[in-house]
């Protein structure tokens, strides 16, 4: 008879997310994971098969917790220009407050793994497309409300905002200077004028 699992899946995914987020995928060992998650190796392998499958589960967990919370205001119906402005300022505020310099798990994953892991590349590409879509919908709303000129290519602008946000997150890990980050955001947001 199989033993009943004695842990909550969401709780251990949250703990695993913290380890991967702080150390990166490659630098995280199975031992790091079992110690942080508070489960034994057998439970980890029985539940998640291997480190890679666990990481994919962590990415899915990140999407439905951190990502959805981070983008909720921007994805809200009627979100427009001010929501985009607020989002970029919030990225800067989080970067400045992040004394550990963990950055964004998804951005870290893109940089570390996407070039040589097709499953991760597919997840991160889907994430970037979702961000682009959220920006696009906010831009459409802003244009409908008369906040943007009627002629910009909103799809291209959404892609630019997505790329700029990711670049801002990378820079904030190595140069979390508030003045530098705010200067970058000022130029990015000037595209909305």
């Amino acid at each position: 008879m199989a033993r009943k699992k004695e842990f909550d899946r969401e709780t251990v995914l949250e703990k695993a997310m913290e380890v991967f987020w702080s150390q990166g995928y490659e630098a995280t060992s199975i031992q790091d994971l079992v110690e942080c998650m508070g489960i034994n190796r057998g439970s980890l392998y029985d539940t998640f098969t291997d480190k890679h499958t666990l990481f994919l589960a962590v990415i899915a967990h990140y999407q439905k917790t951190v990502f959805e919370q981070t983008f909720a205001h921007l994805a809200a119906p009627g979100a427009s220009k001010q929501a985009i402005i607020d989002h970029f300022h919030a990225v800067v505020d989080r970067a400045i407050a992040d004394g550990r310099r963990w950055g964004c798990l998804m951005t870290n994953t893109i940089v570390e793994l996407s070039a040589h892991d097709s499953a991760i590349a597919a997840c991160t590409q889907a994430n970037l497309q979702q961000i682009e879509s959220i920006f696009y919908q906010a831009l459409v709303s802003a244009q409908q409300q008369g906040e943007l000129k009627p002629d910009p290519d909103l799809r291209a602008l959404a892609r630019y905002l997505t790329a700029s946000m990711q670049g801002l997150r990378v820079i904030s890990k190595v140069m979390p200077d508030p003045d530098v980050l705010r200067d970058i955001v000022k130029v990015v947001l000037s595209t909305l004028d």
Side-chain angles (χ1 to χ4, degrees):
M1 177 195 267
R3 271 184 40 178
K4 181 178 181 259
K5 288 186 175 52
E6 296 176 7
F7 59 86
D8 177 68
R9 181 181 171 91
E10 298 302 307
T11 301
V12 297
L13 283 173
E14 187 72 24
K15 291 177 180 180
M17 181 175 71
E18 289 180 18
V19 177
F20 284 125
W21 202 338
S22 67
Q23 297 179 186
Y25 178 81
E26 294 295 339
T28 298
S29 69
I30 293 293
Q31 188 60 37
D32 294 333
L33 291 165
V34 296
E35 286 175 7
C36 180
M37 294 166 74
I39 63 175
N40 63 43
R41 285 176 185 264
S43 293
L44 187 148
Y45 290 121
D46 286 347
T47 306
F48 301 104
T49 309
D50 56 25
K51 177 179 156 181
H52 189 263
T53 305
L54 170 60
F55 189 69
L56 291 170
V58 162
I59 294 297
H61 176 76
Y62 175 88
Q63 278 292 113
K64 74 179 188 183
T65 57
V66 176
F67 180 88
E68 287 183 9
Q69 180 182 13
T70 301
F71 284 90
H73 69 286
L74 193 56
S80 59
K81 185 176 178 179
Q82 191 59 51
I84 295 169
I85 292 167
D86 292 346
H87 181 78
F88 272 91
H89 288 297
V91 170
V92 171
D93 291 344
R94 281 191 304 274
I96 292 167
D98 182 9
R100 305 169 296 186
R101 291 194 186 172
W102 284 10
C104 167
L105 178 62
M106 197 60 72
T107 303
N108 298 347
T109 301
I110 290 167
V111 172
E112 182 183 6
L113 299 173
S114 288
H116 60 273
D117 185 318
S118 60
I120 298 297
C123 289
T124 56
Q125 181 179 15
N127 175 264
L128 291 174
Q129 288 171 336
Q130 187 176 7
I131 294 168
E132 177 190 318
S133 179
I134 290 169
F135 276 129
Y136 179 76
Q137 291 305 316
L139 289 166
V140 167
S141 179
Q143 194 174 61
Q144 290 170 345
Q145 295 176 39
E147 298 173 337
L148 296 177
K149 296 175 189 171
D151 58 345
D153 179 343
L154 297 184
R155 182 60 65 188
L157 187 52
R159 289 176 178 145
Y160 172 76
L161 293 173
T162 301
S164 296
M165 186 189 66
Q166 294 299 354
L168 183 64
R169 287 175 167 168
V170 171
I171 289 171
S172 71
K173 284 189 65 149
V174 295
M175 197 182 334
D177 181 311
D179 293 331
V180 170
L181 300 177
R182 288 187 181 114
D183 281 348
I184 293 167
V185 166
K186 183 177 170 182
V187 173
V188 170
L189 295 177
S190 71
T191 62
L192 302 178
D193 294 334

